[in-house]
């Protein structure tokens, strides 16, 4: 039995379509149980960021507290996800065929939503990596391979989740 010191975040996780839900819901167990979900099908109330910003053009972001929205609309925005203030939104593109990558994208954005520095995998490497991670990471980089892969994301997000659970770094 694992108990967490910090209060556990609960999200209403909306999949826009039943198809998206059936595809991704079975993989949610990749995300540690610190994050609790009530899974729904449909669209929460959404708002839009600055429509002149090509990063966010047409990108829907949930309004209700605790809502996470996963959608597959073809929109002009460059962003694949956003998370802040206990809300997150994740986009699934036609070319996103790897379900694990999509779950990691959800995990990334809900870490943002609870105030964790989900973009800082590299600057925080000295804090989250084990000795063996450091060796593999160095070899990886010497081969000029991108570190933005599920192996590293999973390790980093696991560490960030434990960090959130301990009450550190949240807003
Ligand atoms: Zn991010």
């Amino acid at each position: 039995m694992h108990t967490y010191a910090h209060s556990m975040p609960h999200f209403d996780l909306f999949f826009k379509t039943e198809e998206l839900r059936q595809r991704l819901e079975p993989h949610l167990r990749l995300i540690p149980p610190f994050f609790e979900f009530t899974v729904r099908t449909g669209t929460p109330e959404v708002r839009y960021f600055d429509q002149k910003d090509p990063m966010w053009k047409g990108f829907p972001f949930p309004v209700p507290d605790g809502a996470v929205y996963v959608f597959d609309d073809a929109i002009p925005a460059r962003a694949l996800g956003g998370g802040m203030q206990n809300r997150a939104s994740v986009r699934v593109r036609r070319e996103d065929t790897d379900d694990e990558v999509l779950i990691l994208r959800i995990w990334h954005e809900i870490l943002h939503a609870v105030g964790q520095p989900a973009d800082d995998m590299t600057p925080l490497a000295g804090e989250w990596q084990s000795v063996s991670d450091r060796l593999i990471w160095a070899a990886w980089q010497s081969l000029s391979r991108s570190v933005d892969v599920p192996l590293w994301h999973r390790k980093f997000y696991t560490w960030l989740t434990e960090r959130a659970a301990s009450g550190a770094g949240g807003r």
Side-chain angles (χ1 to χ4, degrees), residues 26-41:
H27 303 292
L28 282 175
R29 66 176 77 90
L30 266 176
I31 300 176
F34 172 65
F35 293 107
E36 292 186 315
F37 299 107
T38 298
V39 177
R40 303 176 188 281
T41 305

Side-chain angles (χ1 to χ4, degrees), residues 106-158:
I106 295 170
W107 194 356
H108 179 102
E109 299 306 341
I110 62 178
L111 283 164
H112 277 308
V114 297
Q116 293 296 320
D119 297 332
D120 294 347
M121 180 171 75
T122 297
L124 292 174
E127 294 190 48
W128 61 267
Q129 290 181 337
S130 67
V131 174
S132 60
D133 287 340
R134 266 190 263 291
L135 293 171
I136 299 166
W137 178 271
W140 204 283
Q141 290 187 311
S142 72
L143 296 171
S144 301
R145 289 179 63 181
S146 170
V147 295
D148 276 310
V149 295
L151 168 75
W152 297 119
H153 287 165
R154 281 185 80 156
K155 285 175 182 275
F156 178 53
Y157 300 165
T158 298

Side-chain angles (χ1 to χ4, degrees), residues 40-165:
R40 303 176 188 281
T41 305
T43 303
E45 185 189 348
V46 295
R47 66 188 179 91
Y48 295 87
F49 301 124
D50 182 359
Q51 291 298 287
K52 294 188 189 74
D53 183 345
M55 180 64 82
W56 298 108
K57 194 170 174 54
F59 191 95
F61 194 77
V63 171
D65 186 33
V68 176
Y69 182 41
V70 180
F71 65 95
D72 59 357
D73 303 323
I75 55 171
R78 289 205 301 266
L80 299 180
M84 62 179 184
Q85 296 168 349
N86 217 35
R87 297 155 175 86
S89 200
V90 170
R91 173 184 179 187
V92 177
R93 298 168 303 173
R94 189 176 288 271
E95 63 262 45
D96 292 322
T97 54
D98 186 333
D99 293 345
E100 183 187 1
V101 166
L102 292 170
I103 297 296
L104 288 166
R105 193 176 291 165
I106 295 170
W107 194 356
H108 179 102
E109 299 306 341
I110 62 178
L111 283 164
H112 277 308
V114 297
Q116 293 296 320
D119 297 332
D120 294 347
M121 180 171 75
T122 297
L124 292 174
E127 294 190 48
W128 61 267
Q129 290 181 337
S130 67
V131 174
S132 60
D133 287 340
R134 266 190 263 291
L135 293 171
I136 299 166
W137 178 271
W140 204 283
Q141 290 187 311
S142 72
L143 296 171
S144 301
R145 289 179 63 181
S146 170
V147 295
D148 276 310
V149 295
L151 168 75
W152 297 119
H153 287 165
R154 281 185 80 156
K155 285 175 182 275
F156 178 53
Y157 300 165
T158 298
W159 179 81
L160 276 184
T161 300
E162 285 165 7
R163 192 172 182 269

